[in-house]
Amino acid sequence: MQGNTRFTNKKRILLVNLSKIWGGGEKWFLTMGKALVHEGFPVTWIVYPGSPLEEKCKREKLPHVSLALRLLHLPFFLNFLTQKLREIGPDMVILNASQELKTVGLVAKELGIPHIIFRRGVSYPLRSHRFNKWMIKHVVTGFLANSQATYAAFVSAFPCVEHKPTLTLNNGIQYEEWVADVSPEPIPGRLGLVARLSQEKGIDRAILAMRRVKQEGISGELHILGKGPDEERLKLLTKESDLEDYVVFRGFSHDVRKELARCSLFIFTPKYGEGTSIALIEAMALSLPCIVMDTPAMKEVVIDGETGFVVPDGHSEVMGDKIIDLLTHDSKRNTMGKAAQIRAATYFNLPEIAKDLSNWIESL
């Protein structure tokens, strides 16, 4: 399928995300791409067949190409990819991760596409071996990071990035749409956590924080929204910790906004690599104070003591104490929640962020 063909003097943008699953990165590629369309850019997506991102592109009739990367059929893949890139004729390619860089990025360079942008959404770099160094130096022409921590980590591994056009761009949400007509009332004592159930999200640390809540006899339930490969281990940990009355696994939700609106506060415990988490921003927009662990970029989102708490990394008991503090002090919880909402509206509103990206693209 060819991209948007309406007349424009703006760069033609190709967004490439070949993930099979749905997460914050995939949401960024969808929402930011639509925002760029709103800014007047012709945008086309390359997505993985049958992925949630492809389903959403189909549902919203967004111009896209479905492409399965299979190493056993690499020559066919590269030939098909070359044909599609020639049909689309992008001026700029924005790539999601290493697999996209090493396939679509290389073909884009071979075809002479002038702008090949690598977008990084986690604050740990690629491995700095020789081939990656060559790719970053000779293929990538610009760099997008979703936090200062992400940018700093990448530059530490690939110093040449400092000499390329770069933009640090927070994740964002459509604030006005997100907060409109939210009907459910918060349920006292309900905590929310939205994340893929995988080890890097550190959900075991959130579960263990609930031990303090139980020890103090405080009424509270942690509702975990998400699916992932670590699910069975996390459920076993919950059972072994005798926390089945305090931790509820809700699975994947098609209406995260409604679920978050039922919560009194939000917690987030990534072990490493998280940038400006979209789920965290969504919770703030709904006036939820947030308690996070001090991993890279968390302080770029949550202001400790003002919009929530930032506790030392790995200290589940300290997190438990902060949970108890907010569950038992309504005034403090409400004040922090309002401050969180103002911060989300001020610094993480997608239209303003999209304008920053639009201006950066125009400057290249």
Side-chain angles (χ1 to χ4, degrees), residues 60-82:
E60 300 187 39
K61 296 182 170 55
L62 301 174
H64 66 282
V65 173
S66 300
L67 193 59
L69 172 57
R70 296 187 176 93
L71 295 180
L72 291 177
H73 302 97
L74 189 58
F76 172 80
F77 171 88
L78 294 176
N79 287 337
F80 181 78
L81 175 59
T82 300

Side-chain angles (χ1 to χ4, degrees), residues 2-194:
Q2 283 189 274
N4 192 327
T5 57
R6 65 192 175 106
F7 177 79
T8 178
N9 61 356
K10 291 182 178 287
K11 293 182 178 72
R12 299 177 66 85
I13 309 297
L14 179 64
L15 298 176
V16 186
N17 185 312
L18 296 176
S19 174
K20 300 177 184 179
I21 63 174
W22 181 257
E26 291 64 56
K27 190 166 188 175
W28 187 92
F29 271 78
L30 178 68
T31 57
M32 192 58 73
K34 290 162 60 178
L36 287 175
V37 171
H38 184 74
E39 292 291 324
F41 291 92
V43 177
T44 303
W45 285 257
I46 290 183
V47 298
Y48 194 86
S51 67
L53 182 55
E54 185 201 35
E55 293 173 4
K56 292 176 188 298
C57 286
K58 284 182 176 179
R59 188 179 308 127
E60 300 187 39
K61 296 182 170 55
L62 301 174
H64 66 282
V65 173
S66 300
L67 193 59
L69 172 57
R70 296 187 176 93
L71 295 180
L72 291 177
H73 302 97
L74 189 58
F76 172 80
F77 171 88
L78 294 176
N79 287 337
F80 181 78
L81 175 59
T82 300
Q83 175 190 338
K84 289 300 176 183
L85 288 185
R86 284 176 173 153
E87 289 178 10
I88 296 166
D91 302 297
M92 174 179 288
V93 176
I94 301 179
L95 305 164
N96 173 59
S98 177
Q99 66 171 348
E100 289 88 346
L101 174 60
K102 293 172 182 175
T103 51
V104 183
L106 281 174
V107 172
K109 178 178 173 59
E110 184 70 21
L111 293 177
I113 293 171
H115 303 288
I116 301 172
I117 309 300
F118 189 50
R119 191 255 176 184
R120 195 69 176 167
V122 290
S123 59
Y124 55 90
L126 302 177
R127 288 180 296 171
S128 58
H129 55 61
R130 183 175 300 178
F131 184 57
N132 280 344
K133 287 180 177 178
W134 183 89
M135 292 287 297
I136 298 300
K137 184 174 182 179
H138 296 287
V139 175
V140 172
T141 66
F143 185 73
L144 277 172
N146 73 340
S147 69
Q148 292 293 337
T150 298
Y151 175 73
F154 212 82
V155 168
S156 70
F158 304 98
C160 66
V161 169
E162 282 192 299
H163 306 293
K164 297 176 182 288
T166 61
L167 177 65
T168 299
L169 197 71
N170 288 328
N171 285 330
I173 62 172
Q174 290 282 4
Y175 175 79
E176 297 296 338
E177 294 180 12
W178 186 254
V179 301
D181 303 322
V182 181
S183 55
E185 290 293 324
I187 297 173
R190 178 174 291 193
L191 293 70
L193 190 159
V194 182

Side-chain angles (χ1 to χ4, degrees), residues 110-286:
E110 184 70 21
L111 293 177
I113 293 171
H115 303 288
I116 301 172
I117 309 300
F118 189 50
R119 191 255 176 184
R120 195 69 176 167
V122 290
S123 59
Y124 55 90
L126 302 177
R127 288 180 296 171
S128 58
H129 55 61
R130 183 175 300 178
F131 184 57
N132 280 344
K133 287 180 177 178
W134 183 89
M135 292 287 297
I136 298 300
K137 184 174 182 179
H138 296 287
V139 175
V140 172
T141 66
F143 185 73
L144 277 172
N146 73 340
S147 69
Q148 292 293 337
T150 298
Y151 175 73
F154 212 82
V155 168
S156 70
F158 304 98
C160 66
V161 169
E162 282 192 299
H163 306 293
K164 297 176 182 288
T166 61
L167 177 65
T168 299
L169 197 71
N170 288 328
N171 285 330
I173 62 172
Q174 290 282 4
Y175 175 79
E176 297 296 338
E177 294 180 12
W178 186 254
V179 301
D181 303 322
V182 181
S183 55
E185 290 293 324
I187 297 173
R190 178 174 291 193
L191 293 70
L193 190 159
V194 182
R196 184 168 58 252
L197 306 189
S198 51
Q199 289 194 8
E200 74 275 7
K201 299 300 182 180
I203 298 169
D204 52 338
R205 307 184 317 171
I207 293 169
L208 294 178
M210 297 304 292
R211 291 192 299 192
R212 289 286 297 139
V213 180
K214 180 178 180 178
Q215 287 168 3
E216 295 300 317
I218 305 299
S219 177
E221 279 188 346
L222 172 60
H223 285 240
I224 299 173
L225 305 177
K227 300 286 287 183
D230 218 21
E231 182 172 353
E232 291 307 314
R233 185 184 72 84
L234 293 171
K235 286 181 175 179
L236 180 60
L237 174 64
T238 300
K239 182 177 181 179
E240 290 176 342
S241 301
D242 196 22
L243 290 170
E244 289 175 295
D245 291 336
Y246 285 80
V247 178
V248 181
F249 290 88
R250 300 292 302 279
F252 181 81
S253 172
H254 292 282
D255 195 344
V256 170
R257 185 176 69 150
K258 183 177 178 181
E259 296 294 342
L260 286 179
R262 291 192 173 107
C263 296
S264 297
L265 58 95
F266 187 84
I267 64 176
F268 196 53
T269 52
K271 289 184 177 177
Y272 54 85
E274 194 71 36
T276 49
S277 162
I278 291 178
L280 188 56
I281 296 163
E282 290 173 340
M284 291 168 58
L286 295 176

